[in-house]
Coordinates of all heavy atoms in Angstrom, one line a residue:
M1 N 0.8 -1.2 0.0 CA 0.0 0.0 0.0 C 0.9 1.2 0.0 O 1.9 1.3 0.7 CB -0.9 0.0 1.2 CG -2.1 0.9 1.1 SD -3.2 0.6 2.5 CE -4.4 -0.4 1.6
Q2 N 0.5 2.3 -0.7 CA 1.3 3.4 -0.9 C 0.8 4.6 0.0 O -0.4 4.8 0.1 CB 1.3 3.9 -2.4 CG 2.1 5.0 -2.7 CD 2.1 5.4 -4.2 OE1 1.5 4.6 -5.0 NE2 2.6 6.5 -4.5
D3 N 1.8 5.4 0.5 CA 1.4 6.6 1.3 C 0.9 7.6 0.3 O 1.4 7.8 -0.7 CB 2.6 7.1 2.1 CG 2.8 6.3 3.3 OD1 1.9 5.6 3.8 OD2 3.9 6.5 3.9
R4 N -0.2 8.3 0.7 CA -0.7 9.5 0.0 C -0.4 10.7 0.9 O -0.7 10.8 2.1 CB -2.2 9.4 -0.2 CG -2.6 8.2 -1.1 CD -4.1 8.1 -1.0 NE -4.6 7.0 -1.9 CZ -4.6 5.8 -1.6 NH1 -4.3 5.4 -0.4 NH2 -5.0 4.9 -2.4
S5 N 0.2 11.7 0.3 CA 0.5 13.0 1.0 C -0.7 13.9 0.9 O -1.4 14.0 -0.1 CB 1.7 13.7 0.4 OG 2.9 12.8 0.6
F6 N -0.9 14.7 2.0 CA -1.9 15.7 2.0 C -1.5 16.8 2.9 O -0.7 16.7 3.8 CB -3.3 15.1 2.5 CG -3.2 14.5 3.9 CD1 -3.7 15.3 4.9 CD2 -2.8 13.2 4.1 CE1 -3.6 14.8 6.2 CE2 -2.8 12.7 5.4 CZ -3.2 13.5 6.5
V7 N -2.2 18.0 2.6 CA -1.9 19.2 3.4 C -3.3 19.5 4.1 O -4.3 19.5 3.5 CB -1.4 20.3 2.6 CG1 -1.3 21.6 3.4 CG2 -0.1 20.0 1.9
V8 N -3.2 19.8 5.4 CA -4.4 20.2 6.1 C -4.2 21.7 6.2 O -3.3 22.3 6.8 CB -4.4 19.6 7.5 CG1 -5.6 20.2 8.3 CG2 -4.5 18.1 7.5
K9 N -5.2 22.4 5.6 CA -5.3 23.9 5.7 C -6.4 24.2 6.7 O -7.5 23.7 6.6 CB -5.5 24.5 4.3 CG -4.3 24.3 3.4 CD -4.6 25.0 2.1 CE -3.4 25.2 1.3 NZ -2.5 26.2 1.7
I10 N -6.1 25.2 7.6 CA -7.1 25.6 8.5 C -7.6 27.0 8.2 O -6.8 27.9 8.0 CB -6.6 25.5 10.0 CG1 -6.2 24.0 10.3 CG2 -7.6 26.0 11.0 CD1 -5.5 23.8 11.6
S11 N -8.9 27.2 8.2 CA -9.5 28.5 7.9 C -8.9 29.6 8.7 O -8.7 29.4 9.9 CB -11.0 28.4 8.0 OG -11.6 29.7 7.9
D12 N -8.8 30.8 8.2 CA -8.4 32.0 8.9 C -9.4 32.4 10.0 O -9.0 33.1 10.9 CB -8.3 33.2 7.9 CG -7.1 33.0 7.0 OD1 -6.2 32.2 7.3 OD2 -7.1 33.7 6.0
R13 N -10.6 31.9 9.9 CA -11.6 32.3 10.9 C -11.6 31.3 12.1 O -12.4 31.5 13.0 CB -13.0 32.4 10.3 CG -13.5 31.1 9.6 CD -14.7 31.4 8.7 NE -15.0 30.2 8.0 CZ -15.8 29.2 8.3 NH1 -16.4 29.3 9.5 NH2 -16.0 28.2 7.6
A14 N -10.7 30.3 12.1 CA -10.7 29.3 13.2 C -10.0 30.0 14.4 O -8.9 30.6 14.3 CB -9.9 28.1 12.8
M15 N -10.6 29.9 15.5 CA -10.0 30.4 16.8 C -9.0 29.4 17.3 O -9.0 28.3 16.9 CB -11.1 30.7 17.8 CG -12.2 31.6 17.3 SD -11.6 33.2 16.8 CE -11.5 34.0 18.4
S16 N -8.2 29.9 18.2 CA -7.1 29.0 18.7 C -7.6 27.7 19.3 O -7.0 26.6 19.2 CB -6.2 29.7 19.8 OG -7.0 30.1 20.9
G17 N -8.8 27.7 20.0 CA -9.3 26.5 20.6 C -9.7 25.5 19.5 O -9.4 24.3 19.7
S18 N -10.2 25.9 18.4 CA -10.5 25.1 17.3 C -9.3 24.5 16.6 O -9.2 23.3 16.2 CB -11.4 25.8 16.2 OG -12.6 26.1 16.7
V19 N -8.2 25.4 16.5 CA -7.0 24.9 15.9 C -6.3 23.8 16.8 O -5.9 22.8 16.3 CB -6.0 26.1 15.8 CG1 -4.6 25.7 15.3 CG2 -6.6 27.2 14.8
E20 N -6.4 24.0 18.1 CA -5.9 23.0 19.1 C -6.6 21.7 18.9 O -6.1 20.6 18.9 CB -6.0 23.5 20.5 CG -5.0 24.6 20.9 CD -5.3 25.1 22.3 OE1 -5.7 24.3 23.2 OE2 -5.1 26.3 22.5
N21 N -8.0 21.8 18.8 CA -8.8 20.6 18.7 C -8.4 19.9 17.4 O -8.3 18.6 17.4 CB -10.3 21.0 18.7 CG -11.2 19.8 18.6 OD1 -11.0 18.8 19.3 ND2 -12.2 19.9 17.8
I22 N -8.2 20.6 16.3 CA -7.8 19.9 15.0 C -6.5 19.3 15.2 O -6.3 18.1 14.8 CB -7.8 20.9 13.9 CG1 -9.3 21.4 13.6 CG2 -7.2 20.4 12.6 CD1 -9.4 22.7 12.8
G23 N -5.5 19.9 15.9 CA -4.2 19.4 16.1 C -4.3 18.1 16.9 O -3.6 17.1 16.6
K24 N -5.1 18.1 18.0 CA -5.3 17.0 18.8 C -5.9 15.8 18.1 O -5.5 14.6 18.2 CB -6.1 17.3 20.1 CG -5.4 18.2 21.1 CD -6.3 18.6 22.2 CE -5.6 19.5 23.1 NZ -6.5 20.1 24.2
G25 N -6.9 16.2 17.2 CA -7.5 15.1 16.4 C -6.5 14.5 15.4 O -6.5 13.3 15.3
L26 N -5.7 15.3 14.8 CA -4.7 14.7 13.9 C -3.7 13.9 14.6 O -3.2 12.8 14.2 CB -4.0 15.9 13.1 CG -4.8 16.6 12.0 CD1 -4.1 17.8 11.6 CD2 -5.0 15.6 10.9
L27 N -3.3 14.3 15.8 CA -2.3 13.6 16.7 C -2.9 12.2 17.0 O -2.2 11.2 17.0 CB -2.0 14.4 17.9 CG -0.9 13.8 18.8 CD1 0.4 13.6 18.0 CD2 -0.7 14.7 20.0
A28 N -4.2 12.2 17.4 CA -4.9 10.9 17.7 C -4.9 10.0 16.5 O -4.9 8.8 16.7 CB -6.3 11.2 18.2
L29 N -4.9 10.5 15.3 CA -4.9 9.6 14.1 C -3.5 9.1 13.8 O -3.4 8.2 12.9 CB -5.4 10.4 12.9 CG -6.9 10.9 13.0 CD1 -7.3 11.7 11.8 CD2 -7.8 9.7 13.3
G30 N -2.5 9.5 14.6 CA -1.2 9.0 14.4 C -1.1 7.5 14.5 O -0.3 6.8 13.8
G31 N -1.9 6.9 15.4 CA -1.9 5.5 15.5 C -2.8 4.8 14.6 O -3.0 3.5 14.6
K32 N -3.5 5.5 13.7 CA -4.5 5.0 12.8 C -4.1 5.1 11.4 O -5.0 5.4 10.5 CB -5.9 5.6 13.1 CG -6.4 5.3 14.5 CD -7.7 5.9 14.7 CE -8.1 5.7 16.2 NZ -9.3 6.4 16.5
G33 N -2.8 5.1 11.1 CA -2.4 5.2 9.7 C -2.0 6.5 9.2 O -1.8 6.7 8.0
V34 N -1.9 7.5 10.0 CA -1.5 8.9 9.6 C -0.1 9.1 10.2 O 0.2 8.9 11.4 CB -2.4 10.0 10.1 CG1 -1.9 11.3 9.8 CG2 -3.8 9.7 9.6
N35 N 0.8 9.6 9.3 CA 2.2 9.8 9.8 C 2.8 11.1 9.1 O 2.1 11.6 8.3 CB 3.1 8.6 9.6 CG 3.2 8.2 8.2 OD1 3.8 8.9 7.4 ND2 2.7 7.1 7.8
S36 N 4.0 11.4 9.5 CA 4.5 12.7 9.0 C 5.8 12.4 8.3 O 6.5 13.4 8.0 CB 4.7 13.6 10.2 OG 5.6 13.1 11.1
G37 N 6.2 11.2 8.0 CA 7.4 11.0 7.3 C 8.6 11.0 8.2 O 8.6 10.2 9.2
A38 N 9.6 11.8 8.0 CA 10.9 11.8 8.7 C 10.8 12.3 10.1 O 11.4 11.8 11.0 CB 12.0 12.5 8.0
R39 N 10.0 13.3 10.4 CA 9.8 13.9 11.7 C 8.7 13.3 12.4 O 7.7 12.7 11.8 CB 9.6 15.4 11.6 CG 10.7 16.1 11.0 CD 10.5 17.6 10.7 NE 9.8 18.3 11.8 CZ 9.1 19.4 11.7 NH1 8.9 19.9 10.5 NH2 8.6 19.9 12.8
S40 N 8.7 13.3 13.8 CA 7.6 12.8 14.5 C 6.3 13.6 14.3 O 6.4 14.8 14.0 CB 7.9 12.8 16.0 OG 7.9 14.1 16.5
I41 N 5.2 13.0 14.4 CA 3.9 13.7 14.2 C 3.7 14.8 15.2 O 3.2 15.8 14.9 CB 2.7 12.7 14.1 CG1 1.5 13.4 13.5 CG2 2.5 12.1 15.4 CD1 0.4 12.5 13.1
E42 N 4.3 14.6 16.4 CA 4.2 15.6 17.5 C 4.9 16.8 17.1 O 4.5 18.0 17.3 CB 4.7 15.1 18.8 CG 3.8 14.0 19.4 CD 4.1 12.6 19.0 OE1 5.0 12.4 18.0 OE2 3.5 11.7 19.5
A43 N 6.1 16.7 16.5 CA 6.9 17.8 16.0 C 6.2 18.6 14.9 O 6.2 19.8 14.9 CB 8.3 17.3 15.6
V44 N 5.6 17.8 14.0 CA 4.9 18.5 12.9 C 3.7 19.3 13.4 O 3.4 20.3 12.9 CB 4.5 17.4 11.8 CG1 3.6 18.0 10.7 CG2 5.8 16.8 11.2
L45 N 3.0 18.7 14.4 CA 1.8 19.4 14.8 C 2.1 20.3 16.0 O 1.1 20.9 16.6 CB 0.8 18.3 15.3 CG 0.3 17.4 14.2 CD1 -0.6 16.3 14.8 CD2 -0.4 18.1 13.1
H46 N 3.3 20.6 16.4 CA 3.7 21.4 17.5 C 2.9 22.7 17.5 O 2.3 23.1 18.6 CB 5.2 21.7 17.5 CG 5.6 22.5 18.6 ND1 5.8 23.9 18.5 CD2 5.9 22.2 19.9 CE1 6.2 24.4 19.7 NE2 6.2 23.4 20.6
D47 N 2.9 23.5 16.5 CA 2.2 24.8 16.4 C 0.6 24.6 16.6 O 0.0 25.4 17.3 CB 2.5 25.6 15.2 CG 3.9 26.1 15.2 OD1 4.5 26.3 16.2 OD2 4.4 26.5 14.1
L48 N 0.1 23.6 15.9 CA -1.4 23.4 16.0 C -1.8 23.1 17.4 O -2.8 23.5 17.9 CB -1.8 22.3 15.1 CG -1.8 22.5 13.6 CD1 -2.4 21.4 12.9 CD2 -2.5 23.8 13.2
L49 N -1.0 22.3 18.1 CA -1.3 21.9 19.5 C -1.2 23.0 20.4 O -1.8 23.0 21.5 CB -0.4 20.7 19.9 CG -0.6 19.4 19.2 CD1 0.5 18.4 19.5 CD2 -1.9 18.8 19.5
R50 N -0.6 24.1 20.1 CA -0.5 25.4 20.8 C -1.6 26.4 20.4 O -1.6 27.5 20.9 CB 0.9 26.0 20.8 CG 1.9 25.2 21.4 CD 3.3 25.8 21.4 NE 3.4 27.2 21.2 CZ 4.0 27.8 20.2 NH1 4.8 27.0 19.4 NH2 4.0 29.1 20.0
G51 N -2.3 26.0 19.4 CA -3.4 26.9 18.9 C -2.9 27.9 17.8 O -3.6 28.8 17.5
V52 N -1.7 27.7 17.3 CA -1.2 28.5 16.2 C -1.5 27.9 14.9 O -1.0 26.8 14.6 CB 0.3 28.7 16.4 CG1 0.9 29.6 15.3 CG2 0.6 29.3 17.7
R53 N -2.2 28.6 14.0 CA -2.6 28.0 12.7 C -1.4 27.9 11.8 O -0.5 28.7 11.7 CB -3.6 29.0 12.1 CG -4.2 28.5 10.8 CD -5.2 29.5 10.2 NE -5.4 30.8 10.8 CZ -6.2 31.0 11.9 NH1 -6.9 30.0 12.4 NH2 -6.3 32.2 12.4
D54 N -1.3 26.7 11.1 CA -0.2 26.4 10.2 C -0.7 25.3 9.3 O -1.5 24.5 9.7 CB 1.0 26.0 11.0 CG 2.3 26.0 10.2 OD1 2.3 26.5 9.1 OD2 3.3 25.4 10.7
D55 N -0.2 25.4 8.0 CA -0.5 24.3 7.1 C 0.4 23.1 7.5 O 1.5 23.2 8.0 CB -0.1 24.7 5.7 CG -1.1 25.7 5.1 OD1 -2.1 26.0 5.8 OD2 -0.8 26.3 4.1
V56 N -0.2 21.9 7.5 CA 0.5 20.7 7.9 C 0.5 19.7 6.8 O -0.5 19.3 6.2 CB -0.3 20.1 9.1 CG1 0.4 18.8 9.6 CG2 -0.4 21.1 10.3
L57 N 1.7 19.2 6.5 CA 1.9 18.1 5.5 C 2.0 16.8 6.2 O 2.9 16.6 7.1 CB 3.1 18.4 4.6 CG 3.5 17.3 3.6 CD1 2.4 17.2 2.6 CD2 4.8 17.6 3.0
L58 N 1.1 15.9 5.9 CA 1.2 14.5 6.5 C 1.0 13.5 5.4 O 0.7 13.8 4.3 CB 0.0 14.4 7.6 CG 0.1 15.3 8.8 CD1 -1.1 15.2 9.6 CD2 1.3 14.9 9.6
K59 N 1.1 12.2 5.8 CA 0.9 11.1 4.9 C -0.1 10.1 5.5 O -0.1 9.9 6.7 CB 2.2 10.4 4.6 CG 3.2 11.3 3.9 CD 4.5 10.6 3.6 CE 5.5 11.5 2.9 NZ 6.7 10.8 2.6
T60 N -0.7 9.3 4.7 CA -1.6 8.2 5.1 C -1.7 7.2 4.0 O -1.5 7.5 2.9 CB -3.0 8.8 5.5 OG1 -3.7 7.7 6.1 CG2 -3.8 9.3 4.3
Q61 N -2.0 6.0 4.5 CA -2.2 4.9 3.5 C -3.7 4.7 3.3 O -4.2 3.9 2.5 CB -1.6 3.6 4.1 CG -0.1 3.6 4.1 CD 0.5 2.3 4.5 OE1 -0.2 1.4 4.9 NE2 1.8 2.2 4.4
L62 N -4.5 5.5 4.0 CA -6.0 5.4 3.9 C -6.4 6.1 2.6 O -5.7 7.0 2.0 CB -6.7 6.2 5.0 CG -6.4 5.6 6.4 CD1 -6.9 6.6 7.5 CD2 -7.0 4.3 6.6
E63 N -7.5 5.7 2.1 CA -8.2 6.3 0.9 C -8.6 7.7 1.3 O -9.0 7.9 2.5 CB -9.4 5.5 0.4 CG -9.0 4.2 -0.2 CD -8.3 4.3 -1.5 OE1 -8.6 5.2 -2.2 OE2 -7.4 3.5 -1.7
P64 N -8.6 8.7 0.4 CA -9.0 10.0 0.8 C -10.3 10.1 1.5 O -10.4 10.8 2.6 CB -9.0 10.8 -0.5 CG -7.9 10.1 -1.3 CD -8.1 8.6 -0.9
A65 N -11.3 9.5 1.0 CA -12.7 9.5 1.6 C -12.6 8.9 3.0 O -13.3 9.4 4.0 CB -13.7 8.8 0.8
D66 N -11.9 7.8 3.2 CA -11.8 7.2 4.5 C -11.1 8.1 5.5 O -11.5 8.2 6.7 CB -11.1 5.8 4.4 CG -11.8 4.8 3.6 OD1 -13.1 4.9 3.5 OD2 -11.2 3.9 3.1
F67 N -10.0 8.7 5.1 CA -9.3 9.6 6.0 C -10.2 10.8 6.4 O -10.2 11.1 7.6 CB -8.0 10.1 5.3 CG -7.4 11.3 6.1 CD1 -6.8 11.0 7.3 CD2 -7.6 12.6 5.7 CE1 -6.3 12.1 8.1 CE2 -7.1 13.6 6.5 CZ -6.4 13.4 7.6
E68 N -10.8 11.4 5.4 CA -11.6 12.6 5.7 C -12.8 12.2 6.7 O -13.1 13.0 7.6 CB -12.1 13.2 4.4 CG -11.0 13.9 3.7 CD -11.4 14.5 2.3 OE1 -12.6 14.8 2.1 OE2 -10.5 14.7 1.5
A69 N -13.4 11.1 6.5 CA -14.5 10.6 7.4 C -13.9 10.4 8.8 O -14.6 10.8 9.8 CB -15.1 9.3 6.9
L70 N -12.7 9.8 8.9 CA -12.1 9.6 10.2 C -11.7 10.9 10.9 O -12.0 11.1 12.1 CB -10.8 8.7 10.0 CG -10.2 8.1 11.2 CD1 -11.2 7.2 12.0 CD2 -9.0 7.3 10.8
L71 N -11.2 11.8 10.1 CA -10.9 13.2 10.7 C -12.1 13.9 11.1 O -12.2 14.5 12.2 CB -10.1 14.0 9.7 CG -9.6 15.4 10.2 CD1 -8.7 15.2 11.5 CD2 -8.9 16.2 9.1
K72 N -13.2 13.8 10.3 CA -14.4 14.5 10.7 C -15.0 13.9 12.0 O -15.5 14.6 12.9 CB -15.5 14.3 9.5 CG -16.8 15.0 9.8 CD -17.7 14.9 8.6 CE -18.9 15.7 8.8 NZ -19.8 15.7 7.6
K73 N -14.9 12.6 12.1 CA -15.4 12.0 13.4 C -14.5 12.4 14.6 O -15.0 12.6 15.6 CB -15.4 10.4 13.2 CG -15.8 9.7 14.4 CD -15.8 8.2 14.1 CE -16.2 7.4 15.4 NZ -16.1 6.0 15.2
Q74 N -13.2 12.5 14.3 CA -12.3 12.9 15.4 C -12.4 14.3 15.9 O -12.4 14.6 17.1 CB -10.9 12.6 14.9 CG -9.8 12.7 16.0 CD -9.9 11.5 17.0 OE1 -10.2 10.4 16.6 NE2 -9.7 11.8 18.2
V75 N -12.6 15.3 15.0 CA -12.6 16.7 15.4 C -14.0 17.3 15.5 O -14.1 18.4 15.9 CB -11.7 17.5 14.5 CG1 -10.3 17.1 14.6 CG2 -12.2 17.6 13.1
G76 N -15.0 16.6 15.0 CA -16.4 17.0 15.1 C -16.7 18.3 14.3 O -16.2 18.4 13.1
R77 N -17.3 19.3 14.9 CA -17.7 20.4 14.1 C -16.6 21.3 13.6 O -16.7 22.0 12.7 CB -18.7 21.3 15.0 CG -18.0 21.9 16.2 CD -19.1 22.7 17.0 NE -18.5 23.1 18.3 CZ -17.9 24.2 18.4 NH1 -17.7 25.1 17.5 NH2 -17.4 24.5 19.6
D78 N -15.4 21.2 14.2 CA -14.2 21.9 13.7 C -13.7 21.4 12.4 O -12.9 22.1 11.7 CB -13.1 21.9 14.8 CG -13.4 22.7 16.0 OD1 -14.1 23.7 15.9 OD2 -12.9 22.4 17.1
F79 N -14.2 20.3 11.9 CA -13.8 19.7 10.6 C -14.2 20.7 9.5 O -13.5 20.8 8.5 CB -14.5 18.4 10.4 CG -14.1 17.8 9.0 CD1 -12.9 17.2 8.8 CD2 -15.0 17.8 8.0 CE1 -12.6 16.7 7.6 CE2 -14.7 17.3 6.7 CZ -13.5 16.7 6.5
S80 N -15.3 21.5 9.7 CA -15.7 22.4 8.7 C -14.7 23.6 8.5 O -14.7 24.3 7.5 CB -17.1 23.0 9.1 OG -17.0 23.8 10.2
L81 N -13.8 23.7 9.4 CA -12.7 24.7 9.3 C -11.5 24.2 8.6 O -10.5 24.9 8.4 CB -12.3 25.2 10.7 CG -13.5 25.9 11.5 CD1 -13.1 26.1 13.0 CD2 -13.9 27.2 10.9
C82 N -11.5 22.9 8.2 CA -10.3 22.3 7.6 C -10.6 22.1 6.1 O -11.7 21.9 5.7 CB -10.1 20.9 8.1 SG -9.7 20.8 9.9
T83 N -9.5 22.2 5.3 CA -9.5 21.9 3.9 C -8.4 20.9 3.7 O -7.3 21.1 4.2 CB -9.3 23.1 3.0 OG1 -10.3 24.0 3.3 CG2 -9.4 22.7 1.5
I84 N -8.7 19.7 3.1 CA -7.7 18.7 2.9 C -7.3 18.8 1.4 O -8.1 18.7 0.5 CB -8.2 17.3 3.2 CG1 -8.9 17.2 4.6 CG2 -7.1 16.3 3.0 CD1 -8.0 17.5 5.7
K85 N -6.0 19.1 1.1 CA -5.5 19.1 -0.2 C -4.6 17.9 -0.4 O -3.6 17.8 0.2 CB -4.7 20.4 -0.5 CG -5.5 21.7 -0.2 CD -5.5 22.5 -1.4 CE -6.4 23.7 -1.0 NZ -6.9 24.4 -2.1
W86 N -5.0 17.0 -1.3 CA -4.2 15.8 -1.6 C -3.1 16.2 -2.6 O -3.4 16.8 -3.6 CB -5.1 14.7 -2.1 CG -6.0 14.3 -1.0 CD1 -7.3 14.7 -0.8 CD2 -5.8 13.4 0.0 NE1 -7.8 14.2 0.3 CE2 -6.9 13.3 0.8 CE3 -4.7 12.6 0.4 CZ2 -7.0 12.5 2.0 CZ3 -4.8 11.8 1.5 CH2 -5.9 11.7 2.3
V87 N -1.9 15.8 -2.3 CA -0.7 16.2 -3.1 C -0.5 15.1 -4.1 O -0.5 13.9 -3.8 CB 0.5 16.4 -2.2 CG1 1.7 16.8 -3.1 CG2 0.2 17.4 -1.2

């Protein structure tokens, strides 16, 4: 199975609490097939976990629709503040 790269973009209207929630959601998916390549997922998500908006490049072996459904379930209503761009 091949890794698919994607970028998580967070809307400019997201408040720091929502950004933290998205970061925590992505971190929780680390054990479910989402990784960051050479650096640890915690290092990649460092700013998001502090509530600072940043684009994040990650990888997954999941199908795009499966990943997006999993992320939506994980972050709840804050998912509407995310845009997933598949590379």
